[in-house]
Amino acid sequence: MSGKVRDYSKLAKDILDAVGGEENVIGATRCATRLRLVLKRSNPKAKQAVAAMPGVITVVENGGQFQVVIGQHVGEVFEKFSGLVNLETTEEQGKSEGTILNRVIATMSAVFAPFIYILAAAGILQGLLIIINLFSAGFAETGTYQVLSFISWAPFTFLPIFIAMTAAKHFKTNVYIAVACCAALVSPTWAEMAAQISSGTSISFLGMPLSETVYTSSVLPPLFLVWFLSYLERFLNKRMNEVVRPLFVPLLCMVIMVPLTILVIGPLSTMGANGVANGYNFLAENVPALAGAIIGGLWQILVIFGVHWGVTPMVLANFDLYGRDSFQAYQTIAVIAQIGAVLGVILKAKSQEVRKVSVSAGVTGLFGITEPAIYGVTLRFKKPFIFGAISGAVGAIVASFFNPYYFAYAGLPGPLTIVNGINSDYPMSVWGILIGVAIAIILPVVLIQIFGFGEDKAKKAGSEDLVEQQGATQQQSNSEESEEFVAAPLTGQVIPLSEVQDEVFSSGAMGPGVAIEPSDNKLYAPFDGTVVMVAPTKHAIGLRSKSGVELLVHIGLDTVKLEGKPFNLHVEDGQKFTKGDLLITFDKEFIQKEGVKVTTPLIITNAHSYKEIIIEKLKDSVLDQKLLTVIK
């Protein structure tokens, strides 16, 4: 369930509690939209519990990581989460389980995600300069252009230093030593020496010849440097007297790691990155339609599992080697195809709730961030995601006939970075991208108008599997009734949801409903159904009726901090119940004594599946009284 969350401390604490507490967390990193956790033990119930939290879009478990998709507020949540766990002294983090590929992808994510927006901003600035130059031929000769140009290139030129900072944190080594070593790699003096070697001058270090490899804008050399540095630093710290350690550990690390990188690590890792880039380029140049189809059609699948960071070194190697890259051109078409699928849903949907969610997801897609669009709309209804993938493949295939390239790196490829494909030496490049983009927008809209997006089927069946991002498998109903009643599960005073003193509920972000100020201490079943979620702290429960109506009951407004003390569960996750069964008893007096409001919101969380939710006008609720009416 996505929702605007301002209490990031609470969300971080709730996530930590759900996954088993600090003792179960081996590692924590973040990317542009996800909180990525490495856990000692995986609990199947944790995924469902976290996915149900306000502010969480979904949870994905892949590559040995518990990935909590949050969206644009992930930075704030990660900051609060980091303050709750002590990972600096965790010895097991370096022993994370999973295949080598999984660990490589996790490392790429941890290293690049913290500064990806810096690269994206620099790429957009380069795109703006391209546009200005198109309309002002003399602008490139001005001092203004020169200043803005070197600003836009600075993050790429000194990319090894950015990598040093994030990789040092990931590999648990001294960030200042890592920065000192990587700063040496981008030193102007080394660039001059490399140029001399390239021109034929022989320069050696301790009798060993140096290569002409330069490291500005490089990825793998600084990454491997910091990785090896982490082992060297730990080795020296364990064996060196603490009196001389603060001085001689940095000294030895620098005089060992920098020459080792220039002599061995740098040339080998650069060769590897260039080899992968050349392999892709061979496919893109010889069978461009196939390259376009693969990237345009499958890129968003990589995004779903959070493994898309693995291509970053290859893309940056292309820009470093050739000053251009076709991968990001096709990637942009794939991103825009999902935006086109969201647009198709907006035009087709009858439900205002679906349109509202789709518009919000589409706006974030304009900035190249597609997780809200995927989890909130396209994958949720399945058909739009498939149509988007097909459209991305078709658009990229057509674009491939025009030799599309990006000439400036785009941290987050999308609509705003299309200008990165403009270059006077490749005039057809941007036209190919634009044609591919047009197809990526129009085709999914057309397909959705013809074949629908799943809403009609959901109405007939009662409930389609529309919330896959929460791991829920909804039951289909054979009922022919056009409406379903939700009875009052509590006795007490009925309060409009808009008056609840919690923005997550009062804004309606989680769905429509009401709140009850209970006069009793018992929660009863409002219909026949199944328990689909029980919060670890027992303060909230998710219920699903036989026909698929989903109801979230949240007892109290900040009762999670009471750690379950005033609550007594009479059901468990997955248990079936009958209307009127006792679900939870709670100590109302204890809750109020702790200074916490006992106001209980009741939310229909899958309202988008139905035509309308009618809220009965009541001042007080009586058990078994009709509270909500769901129109199918």
Side-chain angles (χ1 to χ4, degrees):
M1 303 172 186
S2 62
K4 190 174 181 180
V5 174
R6 297 191 183 276
D7 193 348
Y8 305 116
S9 298
K10 178 179 181 298
L11 179 56
K13 178 66 164 58
D14 289 350
I15 293 172
L16 182 61
D17 291 341
V19 299
E22 180 181 0
E23 64 276 7
N24 195 41
V25 179
I26 297 174
T29 57
R30 55 153 290 200
C31 61
T33 57
R34 308 175 191 221
L35 175 65
R36 295 167 177 261
L37 308 178
V38 180
L39 306 177
K40 294 179 183 177
R41 299 173 303 279
S42 178
N43 182 352
K45 293 184 179 180
K47 180 177 179 180
Q48 194 172 35
V50 174
M53 293 177 182
V56 174
I57 297 174
T58 189
V59 174
V60 178
E61 290 187 281
N62 184 65
Q65 290 186 335
F66 188 90
Q67 303 174 14
V68 184
V69 184
I70 294 171
Q72 61 180 332
H73 299 297
V74 67
E76 292 92 333
V77 178
F78 175 72
E79 180 182 353
K80 301 299 182 183
F81 190 91
S82 299
L84 298 174
V85 294
N86 180 15
L87 300 175
E88 297 300 322
T89 58
T90 303
E91 295 294 332
E92 297 184 44
Q93 182 161 356
K95 304 174 184 178
S96 57
E97 297 178 358
T99 65
I100 293 177
L101 178 60
N102 288 338
R103 279 181 270 178
V104 168
I105 292 170
T107 297
M108 291 299 174
S109 172
V111 169
F112 289 103
F115 58 80
I116 193 65
Y117 285 111
I118 303 299
L119 300 185
I124 290 175
L125 178 56
Q126 291 179 18
L128 291 175
L129 293 177
I130 291 173
I131 294 176
I132 295 174
N133 282 328
L134 289 176
F135 295 97
S136 178
F139 180 68
E141 306 300 323
T142 66
T144 301
Y145 171 82
Q146 294 175 22
V147 171
L148 294 177
S149 180
F150 81 67
I151 291 173
S152 73
W153 281 108
F156 301 100
T157 301
F158 298 102
L159 184 60
I161 295 179
F162 285 89
I163 292 173
M165 292 187 286
T166 54
K169 183 175 182 180
H170 180 69
F171 293 121
K172 304 297 178 187
T173 192
N174 187 298
V175 65
Y176 300 106
I177 298 176
V179 168
C181 292
C182 290
L185 296 183
V186 294
S187 166
T189 302
W190 169 247
E192 294 172 2
M193 293 173 63
Q196 294 175 26
I197 296 171
S198 179
S199 64
T201 303
S202 177
I203 302 177
S204 62
F205 177 80
L206 298 179
M208 293 174 284
L210 300 173
S211 68
E212 69 272 21
T213 306
V214 292
Y215 300 102
T216 53
S217 303
S218 64
V219 174
L220 293 185
L223 186 58
F224 279 109
L225 183 156
V226 178
W227 182 32
F228 287 117
L229 172 65
S230 66
Y231 289 100
L232 176 62
E233 185 193 5
R234 281 194 289 270
F235 176 84
L236 294 174
N237 281 331
K238 289 179 180 179
R239 289 162 177 78
M240 193 168 290
N241 186 282
E242 61 182 9
V243 176
V244 297
R245 186 185 301 160
L247 175 62
F248 283 93
V249 167
L251 173 62
L252 291 174
C253 285
M254 287 190 292
V255 299
I256 292 174
M257 288 310 308
V258 175
L260 181 63
T261 301
I262 293 174
L263 287 166
V264 181
I265 297 175
L268 289 179
S269 58
T270 300
M271 188 183 305
N274 293 347
V276 174
N278 289 332
Y280 162 76
N281 293 332
F282 178 83
L283 177 65
E285 291 171 6
N286 291 278
V287 197
L290 178 59
I294 292 173
I295 300 164
L298 301 181
W299 175 252
Q300 294 300 321
I301 295 177
L302 298 182
V303 173
I304 289 174
F305 294 105
V307 299
H308 48 302
W309 296 99
V311 304
T312 304
M314 181 200 75
V315 170
L316 288 171
N318 266 339
F319 282 107
D320 186 46
L321 285 170
Y322 310 109
R324 65 181 190 272
D325 171 68
S326 64
F327 192 100
Q328 289 204 316
Y330 297 133
Q331 185 182 346
T332 294
I333 295 171
V335 167
I336 292 177
Q338 289 299 315
I339 300 175
V342 170
L343 177 60
V345 172
I346 294 172
L347 297 175
K348 184 72 172 178
K350 298 178 182 179
S351 166
Q352 291 297 323
E353 181 68 21
V354 172
R355 289 180 180 174
K356 178 181 176 182
V357 173
S358 299
V359 169
S360 176
V363 169
T364 61
L366 295 177
F367 297 92
I369 300 173
T370 54
E371 278 92 341
I374 292 173
Y375 294 116
V377 183
T378 63
L379 190 61
R380 179 170 119 192
F381 295 105
K382 295 188 181 68
K383 284 185 181 180
F385 182 82
I386 296 172
F387 294 153
I390 293 172
S391 303
V394 173
I397 289 172
V398 174
S400 70
F401 293 101
F402 297 84
N403 293 321
Y405 292 105
Y406 263 25
F407 300 92
Y409 178 79
L412 296 169
L416 298 181
T417 64
I418 293 174
V419 295
N420 292 19
I422 299 175
N423 187 281
S424 58
D425 294 332
Y426 295 85
M428 297 306 295
S429 170
V430 70
W431 288 109
I433 296 172
L434 288 172
I435 293 172
V437 164
I439 294 172
I441 292 176
I442 297 171
L443 184 56
V445 172
V446 173
L447 291 174
I448 288 172
Q449 305 316 301
I450 295 174
F451 299 104
F453 63 88
E455 186 178 45
D456 290 339
K457 184 176 180 181
K459 290 176 183 176
K460 292 177 183 177
S463 179
E464 180 71 353
D465 184 8
L466 300 183
V467 285
E468 179 171 315
Q469 75 274 23
Q470 297 179 29
T473 304
Q474 298 185 356
Q475 302 174 347
Q476 294 187 352
S477 170
N478 294 322
S479 173
E480 298 298 327
E481 298 180 2
S482 60
E483 59 185 29
E484 180 174 352
F485 304 125
V486 177
L490 293 161
T491 59
Q493 180 185 358
V494 178
I495 302 172
L497 202 61
S498 60
E499 296 180 9
V500 173
Q501 297 179 19
D502 186 313
E503 186 178 354
V504 173
F505 296 112
S506 62
S507 66
M510 295 184 64
V514 297
I516 295 177
E517 192 73 33
S519 58
D520 198 1
N521 63 348
K522 295 181 176 64
L523 175 71
Y524 296 92
F527 43 59
D528 296 344
T530 307
V531 178
V532 294
M533 185 279 295
V534 177
T537 48
K538 307 175 188 178
H539 70 289
I541 188 169
L543 311 174
R544 184 185 300 124
S545 73
K546 286 185 176 181
S547 69
V549 175
E550 294 187 346
L551 180 73
L552 172 68
V553 182
H554 194 286
I555 304 174
L557 296 184
D558 198 20
T559 42
V560 64
K561 68 182 183 181
L562 303 180
E563 300 177 345
K565 295 175 183 177
F567 302 101
N568 184 25
L569 289 174
H570 297 275
V571 290
E572 59 184 19
D573 194 3
Q575 181 176 330
K576 296 184 182 301
F577 55 79
T578 303
K579 181 180 178 181
D581 286 352
L582 181 61
L583 303 179
I584 300 176
T585 55
F586 52 94
D587 190 336
K588 179 182 173 184
E589 289 71 23
F590 177 86
I591 295 173
Q592 294 173 328
K593 185 178 179 181
E594 292 294 317
V596 179
K597 291 185 178 297
V598 77
T599 305
T600 301
L602 297 95
I603 310 293
I604 302 292
T605 57
N606 63 338
H608 53 262
S609 302
Y610 304 101
K611 290 182 179 179
E612 187 178 3
I613 307 297
I614 299 175
I615 301 172
E616 302 297 329
K617 295 182 179 180
L618 302 172
K619 291 185 177 180
D620 297 290
S621 66
V622 179
L623 290 178
D624 203 31
Q625 182 181 23
K626 183 168 65 174
L627 188 66
L628 303 169
T629 302
V630 179
I631 307 298
K632 301 179 181 179

